[in-house]
Amino acid sequence: MLLAGAAALASGLLPGPAFQVLAARTVPVLAFVVSMSLVTELVDDAGLFRVVTERLAALGRSRVTLLWLLVIGLAAVSTVFLSLDTTAVLVTPVVVLLAVHARIPPLPFALTTIWLANTASLLLPVSNLTNLLAQDRLRLSPAAFAGLVWAPALVGILVPLGILWLAFRRDLRGRYGPQPVHPVRDRVLLSSAAGVMVLLLPALVSGVPVQIPALAAAAILLALFLWRRRSALRWSMIPWRPLMLTSGLFMVVEALHANGLTRLVSGIAGPGDGLPALLQLAGLGVGASNAVNNLPAYLALEPAGGSPARLAALLIGVNLGPLVTPWASLATLLWHERLRTLNVEIRWGGFALAGLAAVVLTVPLAVVALWLVAGLH
């Protein structure tokens, strides 16, 4: 994909001025993605996610339902403040291992993490790369962005959880036994990582460009690891493949827009902020995400988001909708990769049917919530 983008630029399909505008918009976003990837990898290596999970197991008081509710809180907070990919990559293993050690069926916990990784990723700009792009287009502060989407974001959390409870209520009852406690390798590193996170989370929603606190946190953690655990640092902590994929997608889709895609999208997305128009745009986002992937779906349809409400409806489609096909979001693929290493089997037919049911219920309700709260009725 990166080679395709470079070829588009070299051949003139992506004009030089358009590329310069694209770079000015996306380089800060990509800097944030790289920085947060380093932060989450280093915080995980320091043992913070494991300690949090062990505390959750203790707080669950041996009750499976309470433990599930605590896992919901962990997955939601991780997604909202650290991004959906963090939940897929780092929260999934610790939550699934928690279920396995407690002799609880791991599937409800695994599905909870990936559904919330996608559907809880609407509230803040940092929750999803699509949100960062939309925030840049709308020129909104994090608080104003949350003010626009809080109602559909709430729907995106509650409706899938209701479906999961109905489907797995028998597995989510009963009690579990004591959990193993792992010794802390380096308390100084763990405490320092926790302190960095405590400072980082409010900084990400303070209104300061998000790449600045993310870069600062990554630099501090790198210095700490150079001091305390240099052997943990490795080049694979940088997400090279997603970075190349994303950069290439930006360039290819921008080249398509420069050669007529904008006119095509405007023709099929429909005009206006009425409820039917918002449902139509969100539906296009759902369909395009599950057919290709949610990032190119957003990039392709973004010109149709001519107002804050329309852009929010598109985000509902591309954030809450990628629950049907495994390639609909990168988070789902990363989640499945983690499950394979844990020997947890996922049947994609059942995954798709359950996801389709969740999308059919969640996306229209979220659009209606947006329409009502935005005062468009």
Side-chain angles (χ1 to χ4, degrees), residues 22-377:
L22 177 69
R25 183 186 179 197
T26 58
V27 166
V29 172
L30 295 175
F32 169 78
V33 170
V34 172
S35 301
M36 286 304 296
S37 295
L38 285 171
V39 167
T40 51
E41 287 278 357
L42 293 172
V43 165
D44 180 55
D45 199 272
L48 185 59
F49 283 98
R50 176 173 287 177
V51 169
V52 169
T53 307
E54 290 173 355
R55 296 287 172 85
L56 293 184
L59 289 171
R61 299 181 179 181
S62 301
R63 297 174 183 172
V64 178
T65 301
L66 181 55
L67 180 63
W68 182 62
L69 292 174
L70 292 168
V71 166
I72 288 169
L74 174 62
V77 169
S78 170
T79 301
V80 169
F81 289 98
L82 299 177
S83 87
L84 72 169
D85 293 337
T86 298
T87 302
V89 173
L90 298 181
V91 175
T92 296
V94 293
V95 166
V96 169
L97 285 175
L98 176 63
V100 170
H101 291 155
R103 297 183 180 178
I104 306 167
L107 185 59
F109 288 81
L111 280 179
T112 297
T113 55
I114 192 54
W115 276 18
L116 285 181
N118 286 289
T119 64
S121 69
L122 189 61
L123 185 61
L124 293 177
V126 297
S127 309
N128 200 321
L129 181 55
T130 56
N131 297 359
L132 286 171
L133 295 170
Q135 182 202 22
D136 177 75
R137 186 177 179 89
L138 293 170
R139 304 296 180 187
L140 293 176
S141 68
F145 184 93
L148 174 65
V149 299
W150 71 267
L154 189 61
V155 171
I157 293 174
L158 294 179
V159 174
L161 290 178
I163 295 170
L164 286 169
W165 172 255
L166 289 173
F168 295 107
R169 58 190 181 277
R170 292 183 179 177
D171 293 332
L172 294 173
R173 291 173 178 167
R175 303 183 70 86
Y176 61 91
Q179 293 291 294
V181 177
H182 299 87
V184 176
R185 293 175 59 189
D186 189 327
R187 290 194 176 276
V188 172
L189 200 56
L190 175 62
S191 301
S192 301
V196 169
M197 294 302 292
V198 167
L199 295 174
L200 175 61
L201 296 187
L204 291 175
V205 296
S206 65
V208 176
V210 291
Q211 70 272 14
I212 294 175
L215 284 166
I220 293 169
L221 287 169
L222 283 171
L224 285 168
F225 270 80
L226 283 171
W227 172 43
R228 303 289 298 187
R229 196 183 298 165
R230 187 186 298 262
S231 61
L233 299 176
R234 55 195 185 278
W235 286 108
S236 61
M237 287 182 168
I238 299 175
W240 297 109
R241 287 186 295 176
L243 192 62
M244 289 189 290
L245 171 65
T246 303
S247 302
L249 282 172
F250 283 148
M251 296 169 71
V252 168
V253 175
E254 188 64 27
L256 293 173
H257 279 304
N259 290 276
L261 180 60
T262 302
R263 293 189 298 274
L264 176 63
V265 166
S266 299
I268 63 175
D273 289 345
L275 181 58
L278 297 180
L279 287 168
Q280 179 180 356
L281 185 53
L284 284 172
V286 171
S289 295
N290 285 289
V292 188
N293 178 268
N294 65 336
L295 181 57
Y298 172 82
L299 293 171
L301 294 168
E302 187 186 54
S307 69
R310 286 183 63 82
L311 206 55
L314 175 58
L315 288 176
I316 289 171
V318 299
N319 288 16
L320 276 58
L323 300 181
V324 182
T325 59
W327 56 82
S329 81
L330 177 62
T332 304
L333 294 174
L334 296 172
W335 168 81
H336 183 243
E337 187 176 289
R338 288 298 186 273
L339 291 184
R340 287 181 61 187
T341 64
L342 298 171
N343 294 317
V344 176
E345 183 183 355
I346 293 295
R347 297 177 180 175
W348 288 116
F351 178 90
L353 287 174
L356 181 61
V359 169
V360 167
L361 289 172
T362 305
V363 170
L365 288 174
V367 174
V368 170
L370 169 69
W371 179 69
L372 290 173
V373 172
L376 301 172
H377 54 290

